[in-house]
Amino acid sequence: MTDWPIAALGPRDRQAVAEAIGLTEAALGHGTLTVERALECLHDRSLLLLAAYAGKPGVMVGAAAARVLDDGGYRDLVAPMPRGLLPAAPPSADGRRVGQLNTLSVAAPMRGRGLGGAFASRLTAWLREQCTEAYALAWLHDRPGRSDGLLKAHGWRPVAVLDEYWLGATTAGDRSCPVCGRPCHCSGLLLRMPGRLL
């Protein structure tokens, strides 16, 4: 038994969803996911949003999310990438179910205790059940808590380093980076879950 039980949040858990998004934004920057969009995706089961708690009463100490991308979500994923890296056709064009491991966020005092690994394991298993292919973007920064090593340990394989991947989203959109602010000049590592999913 761990000292940080993990719960899958549902569409009726508005307060916990807002808290999970707040925790994620503190680590990864503003604009990763809105509460309303998260609740919609939880309702249609295209999102798995996990929260970990410690102590009594339980205090949220981590949050993680993965989702099945609709055509718009897939376009957002591939738009900043070099042409040809991933197929340009949306998933609906050929019946693919494309998943994305979106976020892994663990409060600083809880890092190094296995919580990130527990999140990665559950999200990876869910994506394998839901999708025909799945991707993750690891934020390459010089701060503790990078996810690329953790994802590789859970079977994700590097595809390409994407220089300034979030530049467009943090210039024209409402996203921000906790390191750069706006615009973001950080690179991302695109990883793929290999093998046949589903």
Side-chain angles (χ1 to χ4, degrees):
M1 176 92 179
T2 65
D3 58 352
W4 28 259
I6 296 174
L9 302 181
R12 296 183 181 176
D13 299 324
R14 176 180 285 275
Q15 183 174 341
V17 167
E19 190 176 347
I21 290 172
L23 193 148
T24 298
E25 288 186 341
L28 302 176
H30 172 73
T32 55
L33 186 64
T34 67
V35 172
E36 292 307 319
R37 181 67 179 139
L39 293 172
E40 288 172 17
C41 293
L42 287 168
H43 180 74
D44 71 17
R45 299 176 189 226
S46 63
L47 174 71
L48 176 63
L49 181 57
L50 302 175
Y53 298 88
K56 292 189 182 200
V59 174
M60 193 178 294
V61 294
R67 65 185 179 133
V68 178
L69 299 175
D70 59 15
D71 286 356
Y74 183 75
R75 274 192 299 271
D76 291 344
L77 173 68
V78 301
M81 295 181 188
R83 182 169 260 150
L85 186 60
L86 294 181
S92 65
D94 54 13
R96 291 176 297 144
R97 285 182 54 87
V98 181
Q100 182 179 4
L101 193 153
N102 286 82
T103 58
L104 284 168
S105 180
V106 177
M110 294 297 293
R111 291 181 188 148
R113 298 185 186 189
L115 179 52
F119 277 149
S121 179
R122 288 198 44 187
L123 295 177
T124 299
W126 184 81
L127 287 165
R128 282 190 172 278
E129 291 172 3
Q130 302 294 320
C131 301
T132 57
E133 60 191 271
Y135 299 94
L137 278 161
W139 175 36
L140 300 180
H141 54 82
D142 58 0
R143 296 167 44 172
R146 279 178 41 169
S147 64
D148 53 319
L150 180 68
L151 293 173
K152 290 174 191 174
H154 282 84
W156 294 81
R157 297 292 172 249
V159 175
V161 173
L162 305 171
D163 295 327
E164 297 188 332
Y165 177 80
W166 294 277
L167 181 64
T170 56
T171 302
D174 63 349
R175 293 190 69 177
S176 65
C177 170
V179 173
C180 306
R182 294 183 54 138
C184 175
H185 296 285
C186 296
S187 296
L189 175 64
L190 178 67
L191 300 108
R192 187 180 199 279
M193 173 50 62
R196 177 154 174 77
L197 305 186
L198 282 179

